[in-house]
Amino acid sequence: MRSRENLEQRARNLKAETFALYLAARDPRTPWYAKLFVASVVAYVLSPIDLIPDFLPILGYLDDLILVPLGIALAIGLIPGPVLDECRTKAQEAMKDANLTSRTAATVIIVIWLALAALSAVWAYKAFAG
């Protein structure tokens, strides 16, 4: 039971750190190159699409176990210390006040997938029907 609590705490810390990075990417004191890298890391962490699909045995989780923490560590190194400290504080406060799961983001992703499915169906119909 203790390891499960430890795992849940680590997941909360990862969420808070990712949110702090998001805030740092939007901060004007963060250099442009750090913003670009941090935005890429945060987008990858939040994206439902992985570099290596999770259904591949063992390899599928390598990006989650190696690439994500490595990207976060590199992103943290690019952000000025005072900016990161302030963003971490803001992230902790926000996590206490609100649930970070966004129904809007989920809706947008579902709409994108439905639109892609519809476009694929139209393409297949045109390609094979006539």
Side-chain angles (χ1 to χ4, degrees), residues 10-60:
R10 284 184 175 188
R12 280 192 296 276
N13 290 344
L14 182 61
K15 257 188 193 180
E17 201 66 17
T18 302
F19 189 55
L21 288 174
Y22 165 78
L23 294 173
R26 299 185 64 180
D27 193 293
R29 298 171 291 171
T30 301
W32 68 268
Y33 57 89
K35 287 182 180 189
L36 184 65
F37 186 75
V38 169
S40 300
V41 169
V42 171
Y44 185 76
V45 168
L46 298 177
S47 172
I49 301 170
D50 288 340
L51 184 63
I52 304 169
D54 287 342
F55 63 82
L56 294 174
I58 301 172
L59 291 176

Coordinates of all heavy atoms in Angstrom, one line a residue, residues 10-60:
R10 N 4.3 10.8 -6.6 CA 5.1 11.1 -7.7 C 4.3 11.6 -8.9 O 4.8 12.5 -9.6 CB 6.0 9.9 -8.1 CG 7.1 9.6 -7.2 CD 7.9 8.4 -7.7 NE 9.0 8.2 -6.8 CZ 10.0 7.4 -7.1 NH1 10.0 6.7 -8.2 NH2 11.0 7.3 -6.3
A11 N 3.2 11.0 -9.1 CA 2.3 11.4 -10.2 C 1.8 12.9 -10.0 O 1.8 13.7 -10.9 CB 1.1 10.5 -10.4
R12 N 1.5 13.2 -8.8 CA 1.0 14.6 -8.4 C 2.2 15.5 -8.6 O 2.0 16.6 -9.2 CB 0.5 14.6 -7.0 CG -0.9 14.2 -6.9 CD -1.5 14.5 -5.5 NE -0.8 13.9 -4.4 CZ -1.1 12.7 -4.0 NH1 -2.0 12.0 -4.5 NH2 -0.4 12.1 -3.0
N13 N 3.4 15.1 -8.2 CA 4.6 16.0 -8.4 C 4.9 16.2 -9.9 O 5.2 17.3 -10.3 CB 5.8 15.4 -7.7 CG 5.7 15.4 -6.2 OD1 4.9 16.1 -5.6 ND2 6.5 14.6 -5.6
L14 N 4.7 15.2 -10.7 CA 5.0 15.3 -12.1 C 3.9 16.2 -12.8 O 4.3 17.1 -13.6 CB 4.9 13.9 -12.8 CG 5.2 13.9 -14.3 CD1 6.6 14.4 -14.6 CD2 5.0 12.5 -14.9
K15 N 2.7 16.1 -12.3 CA 1.6 17.0 -12.8 C 2.0 18.5 -12.4 O 1.9 19.4 -13.3 CB 0.3 16.7 -12.2 CG -0.6 16.0 -13.1 CD -2.0 15.9 -12.4 CE -2.9 14.9 -13.1 NZ -4.2 14.8 -12.5
A16 N 2.4 18.7 -11.2 CA 2.7 20.0 -10.7 C 3.9 20.6 -11.5 O 3.9 21.8 -11.9 CB 3.0 20.0 -9.2
E17 N 4.9 19.8 -11.7 CA 6.1 20.2 -12.4 C 5.8 20.5 -13.8 O 6.3 21.5 -14.4 CB 7.2 19.1 -12.3 CG 8.6 19.6 -12.6 CD 9.1 20.5 -11.5 OE1 8.6 20.6 -10.4 OE2 10.1 21.2 -11.8
T18 N 5.0 19.7 -14.5 CA 4.5 20.0 -15.9 C 3.8 21.3 -15.9 O 4.0 22.1 -16.8 CB 3.7 18.8 -16.4 OG1 4.5 17.6 -16.3 CG2 3.3 19.1 -17.9
F19 N 2.9 21.5 -15.0 CA 2.1 22.8 -15.0 C 3.0 24.0 -14.7 O 2.9 25.0 -15.3 CB 1.0 22.7 -13.9 CG 0.0 23.8 -14.0 CD1 -0.6 24.2 -15.2 CD2 -0.2 24.6 -12.9 CE1 -1.5 25.2 -15.3 CE2 -1.1 25.7 -12.9 CZ -1.8 26.0 -14.1
A20 N 4.0 23.8 -13.8 CA 5.0 24.9 -13.6 C 5.8 25.2 -14.8 O 6.0 26.4 -15.1 CB 5.9 24.5 -12.4
L21 N 6.1 24.2 -15.6 CA 6.8 24.4 -16.9 C 5.9 25.1 -17.8 O 6.4 26.0 -18.6 CB 7.3 23.1 -17.5 CG 8.5 22.4 -16.8 CD1 8.7 21.0 -17.4 CD2 9.7 23.2 -16.8
Y22 N 4.7 24.8 -17.9 CA 3.7 25.5 -18.7 C 3.7 27.0 -18.4 O 3.7 27.8 -19.3 CB 2.3 24.9 -18.6 CG 1.2 25.7 -19.1 CD1 1.0 25.8 -20.5 CD2 0.4 26.4 -18.3 CE1 0.0 26.6 -21.0 CE2 -0.6 27.2 -18.8 CZ -0.8 27.3 -20.2 OH -1.8 28.0 -20.7
L23 N 3.6 27.3 -17.1 CA 3.6 28.6 -16.6 C 4.9 29.4 -17.0 O 4.9 30.5 -17.4 CB 3.3 28.7 -15.1 CG 2.0 28.2 -14.7 CD1 1.9 28.2 -13.1 CD2 0.8 29.1 -15.2
A24 N 6.0 28.7 -16.8 CA 7.3 29.3 -17.1 C 7.4 29.6 -18.6 O 8.1 30.6 -19.0 CB 8.4 28.3 -16.7
A25 N 6.9 28.7 -19.5 CA 6.9 29.0 -20.9 C 6.1 30.2 -21.3 O 6.4 30.9 -22.3 CB 6.3 27.8 -21.7
R26 N 5.2 30.6 -20.5 CA 4.4 31.8 -20.8 C 5.0 33.1 -20.1 O 4.5 34.2 -20.3 CB 3.0 31.6 -20.3 CG 2.3 30.4 -21.1 CD 0.9 30.2 -20.7 NE 0.2 31.4 -21.2 CZ -1.1 31.6 -21.0 NH1 -1.8 30.7 -20.5 NH2 -1.6 32.7 -21.5
D27 N 6.0 32.9 -19.3 CA 6.6 34.0 -18.5 C 7.5 34.8 -19.4 O 8.4 34.2 -20.1 CB 7.3 33.5 -17.3 CG 7.7 34.6 -16.3 OD1 8.5 35.4 -16.7 OD2 7.1 34.6 -15.2
P28 N 7.4 36.1 -19.5 CA 8.3 36.9 -20.3 C 9.7 36.9 -19.9 O 10.6 37.2 -20.8 CB 7.7 38.3 -20.2 CG 6.8 38.3 -19.0 CD 6.4 36.9 -18.8
R29 N 10.1 36.5 -18.7 CA 11.5 36.4 -18.3 C 12.2 35.2 -18.8 O 13.4 35.0 -18.6 CB 11.5 36.5 -16.8 CG 11.0 37.8 -16.2 CD 10.9 37.8 -14.7 NE 9.8 36.9 -14.4 CZ 9.6 36.5 -13.1 NH1 10.3 36.9 -12.1 NH2 8.6 35.6 -12.9
T30 N 11.4 34.2 -19.3 CA 12.0 33.0 -19.8 C 12.5 33.2 -21.2 O 11.8 33.8 -22.1 CB 10.9 31.9 -19.9 OG1 10.4 31.7 -18.6 CG2 11.5 30.6 -20.4
P31 N 13.8 32.8 -21.5 CA 14.4 33.1 -22.8 C 13.6 32.3 -23.9 O 13.0 31.3 -23.7 CB 15.8 32.5 -22.7 CG 16.1 32.3 -21.3 CD 14.7 32.2 -20.6
W32 N 13.6 32.9 -25.1 CA 12.8 32.3 -26.2 C 13.1 30.8 -26.5 O 12.2 30.0 -26.8 CB 12.9 33.2 -27.5 CG 14.3 33.1 -28.1 CD1 15.4 33.9 -27.9 CD2 14.7 32.1 -29.1 NE1 16.4 33.5 -28.6 CE2 16.1 32.4 -29.4 CE3 14.1 31.0 -29.7 CZ2 16.8 31.6 -30.3 CZ3 14.9 30.2 -30.6 CH2 16.2 30.5 -30.8
Y33 N 14.4 30.5 -26.5 CA 14.8 29.1 -26.8 C 14.3 28.2 -25.7 O 13.9 27.0 -26.0 CB 16.3 29.0 -27.0 CG 17.1 29.5 -25.8 CD1 17.4 28.6 -24.7 CD2 17.6 30.8 -25.7 CE1 18.1 29.0 -23.6 CE2 18.3 31.2 -24.6 CZ 18.6 30.4 -23.6 OH 19.3 30.8 -22.5
A34 N 14.3 28.6 -24.5 CA 13.7 27.8 -23.4 C 12.2 27.7 -23.6 O 11.6 26.6 -23.3 CB 14.0 28.4 -22.0
K35 N 11.5 28.8 -23.9 CA 10.1 28.7 -24.2 C 9.8 27.7 -25.3 O 8.8 26.9 -25.1 CB 9.6 30.1 -24.6 CG 9.5 31.1 -23.5 CD 8.9 32.4 -24.1 CE 8.8 33.4 -23.0 NZ 8.1 34.6 -23.3
L36 N 10.5 27.7 -26.3 CA 10.3 26.7 -27.4 C 10.5 25.3 -27.0 O 9.6 24.4 -27.2 CB 11.3 27.1 -28.6 CG 11.1 26.3 -29.8 CD1 9.8 26.5 -30.5 CD2 12.2 26.6 -30.8
F37 N 11.6 25.0 -26.2 CA 11.8 23.7 -25.8 C 10.8 23.3 -24.7 O 10.2 22.1 -24.8 CB 13.2 23.6 -25.2 CG 13.6 22.1 -24.8 CD1 13.9 21.2 -25.8 CD2 13.6 21.7 -23.5 CE1 14.2 19.9 -25.4 CE2 13.9 20.4 -23.1 CZ 14.2 19.5 -24.1
V38 N 10.5 24.1 -23.8 CA 9.5 23.8 -22.7 C 8.2 23.6 -23.3 O 7.5 22.6 -22.9 CB 9.5 25.0 -21.7 CG1 8.3 24.8 -20.7 CG2 10.8 25.0 -20.9
A39 N 7.8 24.4 -24.3 CA 6.4 24.2 -24.9 C 6.4 22.9 -25.6 O 5.4 22.2 -25.5 CB 6.2 25.3 -25.9
S40 N 7.5 22.5 -26.2 CA 7.5 21.2 -26.9 C 7.4 20.0 -25.9 O 6.7 19.0 -26.1 CB 8.8 21.0 -27.7 OG 8.9 22.0 -28.6
V41 N 8.1 20.1 -24.8 CA 8.1 19.1 -23.7 C 6.7 19.0 -23.1 O 6.1 17.9 -23.0 CB 9.1 19.3 -22.6 CG1 8.9 18.4 -21.4 CG2 10.5 19.2 -23.2
V42 N 6.1 20.1 -22.8 CA 4.7 20.1 -22.2 C 3.7 19.6 -23.2 O 2.9 18.8 -22.8 CB 4.4 21.6 -21.7 CG1 2.9 21.6 -21.3 CG2 5.3 22.0 -20.5
A43 N 3.8 20.0 -24.4 CA 2.9 19.5 -25.4 C 3.0 18.0 -25.6 O 2.0 17.3 -25.7 CB 3.1 20.2 -26.8
Y44 N 4.2 17.5 -25.6 CA 4.5 16.0 -25.7 C 3.9 15.3 -24.5 O 3.3 14.2 -24.6 CB 5.9 15.7 -25.8 CG 6.2 14.2 -26.1 CD1 5.9 13.6 -27.3 CD2 6.6 13.4 -25.0 CE1 6.1 12.3 -27.5 CE2 6.8 12.0 -25.2 CZ 6.5 11.5 -26.5 OH 6.7 10.1 -26.7
V45 N 4.1 15.8 -23.3 CA 3.6 15.2 -22.0 C 2.1 15.1 -22.1 O 1.5 14.1 -21.7 CB 4.1 16.0 -20.8 CG1 3.4 15.5 -19.5 CG2 5.6 15.8 -20.6
L46 N 1.5 16.2 -22.5 CA 0.0 16.3 -22.5 C -0.6 15.6 -23.7 O -1.9 15.4 -23.7 CB -0.5 17.7 -22.4 CG 0.0 18.4 -21.1 CD1 -0.5 19.9 -21.2 CD2 -0.5 17.8 -19.9
S47 N 0.1 15.3 -24.7 CA -0.4 14.8 -26.0 C -0.8 13.3 -25.8 O -0.1 12.5 -25.1 CB 0.6 14.9 -27.1 OG 0.2 14.2 -28.2
P48 N -1.9 12.9 -26.4 CA -2.3 11.5 -26.3 C -1.5 10.7 -27.3 O -1.6 9.4 -27.3 CB -3.8 11.5 -26.7 CG -3.9 12.7 -27.5 CD -2.9 13.7 -27.0
I49 N -0.7 11.3 -28.2 CA 0.1 10.6 -29.2 C 1.5 10.5 -28.7 O 2.1 11.5 -28.4 CB 0.0 11.3 -30.5 CG1 -1.5 11.4 -31.0 CG2 0.8 10.6 -31.6 CD1 -1.7 12.3 -32.2
D50 N 2.1 9.3 -28.7 CA 3.4 9.1 -28.2 C 4.4 8.9 -29.4 O 3.9 8.4 -30.4 CB 3.5 7.8 -27.3 CG 2.9 8.0 -26.0 OD1 2.7 9.2 -25.5 OD2 2.5 7.0 -25.3
L51 N 5.6 9.1 -29.2 CA 6.6 8.9 -30.2 C 6.7 7.4 -30.5 O 6.8 7.0 -31.6 CB 8.0 9.4 -29.7 CG 9.2 9.3 -30.6 CD1 8.9 10.2 -31.8 CD2 10.5 9.8 -29.9
I52 N 6.7 6.6 -29.4 CA 6.7 5.1 -29.5 C 5.3 4.7 -29.0 O 5.0 4.9 -27.8 CB 7.8 4.5 -28.7 CG1 9.2 5.1 -29.1 CG2 7.8 3.0 -28.9 CD1 10.3 4.7 -28.2
P53 N 4.5 4.1 -29.8 CA 3.1 3.7 -29.4 C 3.2 2.7 -28.2 O 4.0 1.8 -28.1 CB 2.5 3.0 -30.6 CG 3.3 3.4 -31.7 CD 4.7 3.7 -31.2
D54 N 2.3 2.9 -27.2 CA 2.3 2.2 -26.0 C 2.0 0.7 -26.2 O 2.3 -0.1 -25.3 CB 1.3 2.8 -24.9 CG 1.8 4.1 -24.3 OD1 3.0 4.3 -24.5 OD2 1.0 4.8 -23.8
F55 N 1.3 0.3 -27.3 CA 0.9 -1.1 -27.5 C 2.1 -1.9 -27.8 O 2.0 -3.2 -27.8 CB -0.2 -1.2 -28.5 CG 0.2 -0.8 -29.9 CD1 0.9 -1.6 -30.8 CD2 -0.2 0.5 -30.4 CE1 1.3 -1.2 -32.0 CE2 0.2 0.9 -31.6 CZ 0.9 0.1 -32.5
L56 N 3.3 -1.3 -28.2 CA 4.5 -2.1 -28.4 C 5.1 -2.6 -27.1 O 5.3 -1.8 -26.2 CB 5.6 -1.3 -29.1 CG 5.2 -0.9 -30.6 CD1 6.3 0.0 -31.1 CD2 5.0 -2.1 -31.5
P57 N 5.3 -3.9 -26.9 CA 5.8 -4.4 -25.6 C 7.1 -3.8 -25.2 O 8.0 -3.6 -26.1 CB 5.9 -5.9 -25.9 CG 5.1 -6.2 -27.1 CD 5.1 -5.0 -27.9
I58 N 7.2 -3.4 -24.0 CA 8.4 -2.8 -23.4 C 8.8 -1.5 -24.1 O 8.9 -0.4 -23.4 CB 9.6 -3.8 -23.4 CG1 9.2 -5.0 -22.6 CG2 10.8 -3.1 -22.8 CD1 10.2 -6.1 -22.6
L59 N 9.0 -1.4 -25.4 CA 9.5 -0.2 -26.1 C 8.4 0.9 -25.9 O 8.8 2.1 -25.9 CB 9.7 -0.5 -27.5 CG 10.9 -1.4 -27.9 CD1 11.0 -1.7 -29.4 CD2 12.2 -0.7 -27.4
G60 N 7.1 0.5 -25.9 CA 6.1 1.5 -25.8 C 6.1 2.4 -24.6 O 5.6 3.5 -24.7

